[in-house]
């Protein structure tokens, strides 16, 4: 069975790499990490992931800007995006939902929770 | 000088001055027609003189000229005569307040009392004091709001900076727990301790964010009983685990109130968990709601100049009462329980933010809270919502 391709966009590289290891260890995922927000759209176009885990606060570009760019590009708009962030404000959650993100997870998070949420989002995706 | 009395040895004889009858009458009128009350009380407590303006006062005392004043007044008269020092006293009479200065006349062994009606001044002073208290309250609320604003900004900044490394540690620990195949039992224990520490730090950060969150309330008309029932269902697992019997006595007739449901659930969940944690060997958690009516006489404004109209206002409140059979609040900490980061559960998962969050949320709803030890053990928590 083909593995689910995940793209993590997060400037916290250590975190992203451990998440990559933990998710890949489950045997169901193949994970790529992009630490620069400005590279996210390009990476999404090239890698064509099944789902993107996107941080919000990043030094070069805001996660919401990346989300907007992804959702307004024909090549990436269908890729589900889950915000994976330390920001827990309601206003951020609302903004993410308004910009059509498919989920919102607040760090820290266990791999089990992460995996379940990814699977639920992908199940909802129109085939 | 024209009016200066002149003493001269050359004058042969000084004619003794005898006031004329009309002069004497005028002098007497000067006191008796004075619109301010004047009294004269003898050493033994006999009421020697009272002018017309003071008649309502002595009639209120049930006295007339020649009568003995009360024992308290008699003693005060004696004291003033002995000391020879003027004394100021206030007298209440038929809803008015008079201020008297007591002037001892030692030679004649009596005390003259000169009064003035200070009712309006006193009421104005009371209104001023109340207005000042309101102003102080408003000012402290402003300062508090400003502080919360600063704490909020600081907290969200800290939260982001701390939660990211916590997320890394948490994911790392998860990997290590799954992948270290050590025979040393300490390795697994230490990894577990570290995971607990990460969860505690995350809990503190979340609590700090909750405490400082200055977001607007999502106010809707809600039934408090439903909020309480839903909050009880959220702590069902903990209450069952700790063998706590939950008793509900919720008044179905309480009216709807304007609250933020989820924030209020947070209040009750915190209060219920506090009670459960105070009963580690089980006990009873009783939750009661009822409507309280208070009839309060209150001055509401000025009907016409100098005349204030007082009406009876019925103050209604919805009360939620939580009573447990736990160990009660330890001595000496009652005034600290609402302070942020004050906890009696250090090392047991307590962040010390629960009650400060509760108070914060209730203050935002203009609701009150009182937590007191109950006679015979346990704690009674009363949450008051004004209608």
């Amino acid at each position: 069975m083909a593995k689910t391709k995940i793209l993590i966009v997060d400037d916290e590289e250590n975190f992203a790499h451990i998440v990559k290891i933990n998710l890949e260890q489950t045997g169901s995922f193949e994970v790529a990490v992009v630490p620069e927000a400005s590279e996210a759209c390009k990476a999404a176009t090239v890698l064509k992931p099944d789902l993107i885990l996107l941080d919000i606060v990043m030094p070069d570009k805001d996660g919401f800007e990346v989300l907007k760019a992804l959702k307004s590009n024909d090549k990436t708009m269908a890729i589900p995006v889950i915000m994976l962030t330390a920001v827990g404000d309601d206003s951020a959650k609302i903004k993410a939902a308004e910009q059509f993100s498919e989920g919102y997870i607040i760090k820290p998070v266990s791999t089990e929770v992460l995996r379940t949420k990814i699977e639920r989002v992908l199940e909802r995706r129109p085939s | 000088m024209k009016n200066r009395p002149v003493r001269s040895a050359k004058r042969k004889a000084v004619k003794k001055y005898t006031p004329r009858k009309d002069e004497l009458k005028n002098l007497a009128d000067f006191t008796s027609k004075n619109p301010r009350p004047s009294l004269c009380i003898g050493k033994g407590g006999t009421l020697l003189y009272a002018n017309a303006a003071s008649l309502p006062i002595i009639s209120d005392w049930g006295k007339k000229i020649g009568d003995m004043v009360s024992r308290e007044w008699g003693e005060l008269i004696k004291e003033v005569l002995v000391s020879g020092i003027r004394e100021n006293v206030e007298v209440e009479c038929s809803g008015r307040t008079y201020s008297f200065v007591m002037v001892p006349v030692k030679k004649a062994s009596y005390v003259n009392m000169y009064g003035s009606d200070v009712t309006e001044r006193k009421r104005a002073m009371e209104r001023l004091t109340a207005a000042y208290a309101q102003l102080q309250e408003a000012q402290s609320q402003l300062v508090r709001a400003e502080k919360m604003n600063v704490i909020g900004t600081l907290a969200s900044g800290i939260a982001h900076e701390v939660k990211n490394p916590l997320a890394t540690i948490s994911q790392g620990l998860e990997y290590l727990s799954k992948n270290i195949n050590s025979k040393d039992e300490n390795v697994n224990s230490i990894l577990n301790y570290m995971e607990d520490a990460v969860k505690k730090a995350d809990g503190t950060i979340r609590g700090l964010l909750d405490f400082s969150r200055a977001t607007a309330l999502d106010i809707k008309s809600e039934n408090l009983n439903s909020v309480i029932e839903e909050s009880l269902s959220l702590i069902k697992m903990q209450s069952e685990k700790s063998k706590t019997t939950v008793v509900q006595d919720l008044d179905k007739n309480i009216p709807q109130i304007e609250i933020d449901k989820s924030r209020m659930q947070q209040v009750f969940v915190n209060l219920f968990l506090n009670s459960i944690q105070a009963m580690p060997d089980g006990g009873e958690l009783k939750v009661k709601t009822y409507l309280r009516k208070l009839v309060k006489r209150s001055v509401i404004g000025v009907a016409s100049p100098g005349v204030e109209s007082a009406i009876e206002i019925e103050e209604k409140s919805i009360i939620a009462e939580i009573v447990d059979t736990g160990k009660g609040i330890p001595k000496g900490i009652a005034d600290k329980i609402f302070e942020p980061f004050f906890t009696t559960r250090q090392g047991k998962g307590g962040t010390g933010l629960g009650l400060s969050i509760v108070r914060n949320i209730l203050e935002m709803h203009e609701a009150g809270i009182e937590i007191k030890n109950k006679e015979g053990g346990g704690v009674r928590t009363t949450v008051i919502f004004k209608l």
Side-chain angles (χ1 to χ4, degrees), chain B residues 261-273:
Chain B
K261 188 178 171 180
S262 68
R263 304 290 267 169
M264 207 45 73
Q265 269 181 358
Q266 204 181 344
V267 165
F268 285 105
V269 165
N270 259 304
L271 294 175
F272 295 154
L273 287 178

Side-chain angles (χ1 to χ4, degrees), chain B residues 1 113 259 296 325 349:
Chain B
M1 265 180 168
M113 291 174 57
I259 51 171
K296 188 181 170 191
T325 53

Side-chain angles (χ1 to χ4, degrees), chain B residues 127-141:
Chain B
R127 281 198 291 267
L128 198 66
T129 310
Y132 181 63
Q134 272 181 349
L135 195 70
Q136 273 190 320
E137 175 62 23
Q139 195 186 22
S140 67
Q141 271 180 8

Side-chain angles (χ1 to χ4, degrees), chain B residues 42-114:
Chain B
K43 188 183 176 183
T46 312
L47 189 56
L48 300 174
Y49 174 80
N51 73 346
S54 61
L55 290 179
I57 299 172
I58 61 168
S59 115
D60 194 58
W61 291 349
K63 306 288 179 191
K64 59 184 187 307
I65 292 167
D67 284 353
M68 296 288 284
V69 290
S70 71
R71 197 164 55 86
E72 289 83 5
W73 273 108
E75 278 167 13
L76 191 58
I77 296 292
K78 267 184 211 163
E79 273 173 35
V80 172
L81 277 170
V82 170
S83 69
I85 299 167
R86 291 177 178 202
E87 190 84 38
N88 285 298
V89 286
E90 270 192 4
V91 177
E92 299 282 340
C93 169
S94 307
R96 302 202 73 78
T97 308
Y98 299 89
S99 173
F100 277 95
V101 54
M102 299 174 77
V103 182
V105 185
K106 268 196 165 182
K107 276 185 189 170
S109 289
Y110 57 65
V111 172
N112 284 333
M113 291 174 57
Y114 306 107

Side-chain angles (χ1 to χ4, degrees), chain B residues 162-214:
Chain B
V162 176
K163 278 168 98 55
N164 267 322
L166 281 181
T168 308
I169 297 170
S170 163
Q171 282 283 327
L173 285 171
E174 205 182 306
Y175 178 81
L176 293 177
S177 303
K178 281 179 196 159
N179 296 284
I180 288 183
N181 298 314
S182 173
K183 285 176 186 167
D184 184 349
E185 282 182 8
N186 285 335
V187 170
N188 285 329
S189 302
I190 289 169
L191 288 172
N192 284 336
Y193 296 153
M194 289 168 80
E195 261 180 54
D196 287 346
V198 169
K199 278 179 190 159
K200 184 174 185 267
D202 187 45
T204 304
I205 294 291
R206 276 179 210 219
L208 191 65
L209 283 172
D210 272 340
F211 172 69
S212 60
R213 205 185 296 161

Side-chain angles (χ1 to χ4, degrees), chain A residues 2-4 9 11 13 24 37 57 62-63 72 89 100-101 119 126:
Chain A
K3 289 182 180 177
T4 305
V9 183
D11 63 311
E13 283 187 71
E24 286 183 344
V57 182
D62 190 276
S72 53
D89 300 358
F100 308 105
S101 91
E119 284 170 358

